[in-house]
């Protein structure tokens, strides 16, 4: 992601005060308890630990794809928050579409057969009860972020995702449990 941004910047394709950079985030970066996804935890909070997570060295034999997904999404949210601080001439945000139905997620190769069956059954049920939302709701979050419309009034550098769980109103994650680190400008 960042290499593409750097290439666009070097070729003068990014326009100051006009460019909006939106990274696709996930509530997994602050944990999704009801889905068994714990809030990411770092032992030392140093550069080497982050490098080991990104390269995969940190996992050894204890690889947990859900934990890794949350950690990487969290690291990316922090990265883009820092990018926003270094480049105030652009609007930068990490935006989660939330948990959406109507995608090909439940057929992804990374899922086990058991997970594919489970998600095929549970996703429509979760949408019915408002735990997940329609693909159009998630897509609208991106449209609003890119076009700065429909009351999308968040400062640059924020990690924006569902207020509760993985659907519902969008909020800066610094205000939710396990999301405070995403509001710390010294992180």
């Amino acid at each position: 992601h960042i290499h593409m941004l750097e290439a666009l910047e070097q070729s003068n394709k990014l326009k100051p005060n006009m460019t909006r950079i939106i990274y696709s985030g996930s509530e997994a970066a602050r944990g999704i308890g009801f889905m068994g996804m714990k809030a990411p935890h770092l032992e030392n909070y140093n550069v080497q630990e982050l490098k080991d997570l990104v390269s995969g060295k940190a996992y050894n034999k204890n690889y947990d794809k859900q934990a890794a997904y949350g950690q990487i999404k969290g690291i990316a949210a922090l990265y883009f928050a820092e990018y926003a601080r270094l480049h105030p001439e652009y609007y930068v945000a990490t935006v989660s579409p939330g948990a959406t139905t109507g995608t090909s997620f439940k057929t992804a190769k990374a899922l086990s057969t058991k997970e594919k069956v489970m998600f095929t059954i549970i996703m429509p049920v979760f949408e019915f009860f408002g735990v997940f939302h329609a693909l159009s709701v998630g897509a609208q979050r991106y449209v609003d972020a890119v076009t700065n419309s429909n009351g999308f009034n968040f400062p640059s550098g924020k990690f924006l995702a569902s207020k509760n769980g993985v659907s519902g109103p969008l909020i800066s994650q610094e205000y939710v449990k396990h999301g405070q680190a995403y509001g710390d400008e010294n992180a």
Side-chain angles (χ1 to χ4, degrees), residues 3-22:
H3 297 300
M4 181 178 78
L5 259 173
E6 290 170 347
L8 290 170
E9 201 169 26
Q10 289 172 359
S11 62
N12 295 316
K13 301 290 184 192
L14 302 181
K15 304 297 179 203
N17 303 313
M18 293 175 65
T19 297
R20 296 180 69 81
I21 300 165
I22 309 301

Side-chain angles (χ1 to χ4, degrees), residues 70-128:
Q71 289 167 328
I72 295 304
K73 286 294 188 177
I75 290 168
L78 292 171
Y79 183 90
F80 280 98
E82 179 64 11
Y83 188 87
R85 284 191 284 279
L86 295 173
H87 296 278
E89 68 274 20
Y90 309 131
Y91 179 86
V92 182
T94 297
V95 178
S96 171
T100 59
T101 58
T103 68
S104 61
F105 165 77
K106 59 185 176 264
T107 62
K109 290 181 182 180
L111 295 176
S112 68
T113 301
K114 178 182 169 184
E115 290 169 321
K116 289 177 184 179
V117 170
M118 180 189 71
F119 283 116
T120 298
I121 295 166
I122 204 74
M123 288 178 83
V125 174
F126 277 4
E127 182 180 9
F128 178 79

Side-chain angles (χ1 to χ4, degrees), residues 5-185:
L5 259 173
E6 290 170 347
L8 290 170
E9 201 169 26
Q10 289 172 359
S11 62
N12 295 316
K13 301 290 184 192
L14 302 181
K15 304 297 179 203
N17 303 313
M18 293 175 65
T19 297
R20 296 180 69 81
I21 300 165
I22 309 301
Y23 174 75
S24 181
S26 171
E27 287 83 358
R30 49 102 164 124
I32 307 170
F34 79 92
M35 292 179 72
M37 298 177 85
K38 296 178 182 174
H41 174 73
L42 298 176
E43 293 293 328
N44 302 310
Y45 292 89
N46 62 34
V47 172
Q48 187 58 51
E49 184 176 20
L50 295 174
K51 285 181 178 180
D52 288 349
L53 285 168
V54 171
S55 72
K57 288 181 186 177
Y59 299 107
N60 299 321
K61 296 177 184 175
N62 299 322
Y63 180 73
D64 176 343
K65 63 186 168 193
Q66 289 184 332
Y69 179 74
Q71 289 167 328
I72 295 304
K73 286 294 188 177
I75 290 168
L78 292 171
Y79 183 90
F80 280 98
E82 179 64 11
Y83 188 87
R85 284 191 284 279
L86 295 173
H87 296 278
E89 68 274 20
Y90 309 131
Y91 179 86
V92 182
T94 297
V95 178
S96 171
T100 59
T101 58
T103 68
S104 61
F105 165 77
K106 59 185 176 264
T107 62
K109 290 181 182 180
L111 295 176
S112 68
T113 301
K114 178 182 169 184
E115 290 169 321
K116 289 177 184 179
V117 170
M118 180 189 71
F119 283 116
T120 298
I121 295 166
I122 204 74
M123 288 178 83
V125 174
F126 277 4
E127 182 180 9
F128 178 79
F129 286 107
V131 178
F132 287 9
H133 52 231
L135 179 60
S136 61
V137 174
Q140 190 64 52
R141 288 182 175 187
Y142 291 128
V143 170
D144 293 345
V146 169
T147 62
N148 195 26
S149 58
N150 292 322
F152 193 90
N153 191 25
F154 298 98
S156 185
K158 297 298 181 182
F159 169 31
L160 309 165
S162 301
K163 182 177 180 179
N164 297 309
V166 290
S167 66
L170 203 60
I171 188 173
S172 178
Q173 293 300 284
E174 66 196 282
Y175 301 113
V176 300
K177 185 177 182 182
H178 301 299
Q180 295 86 357
Y182 300 109
D184 180 4
E185 295 190 11

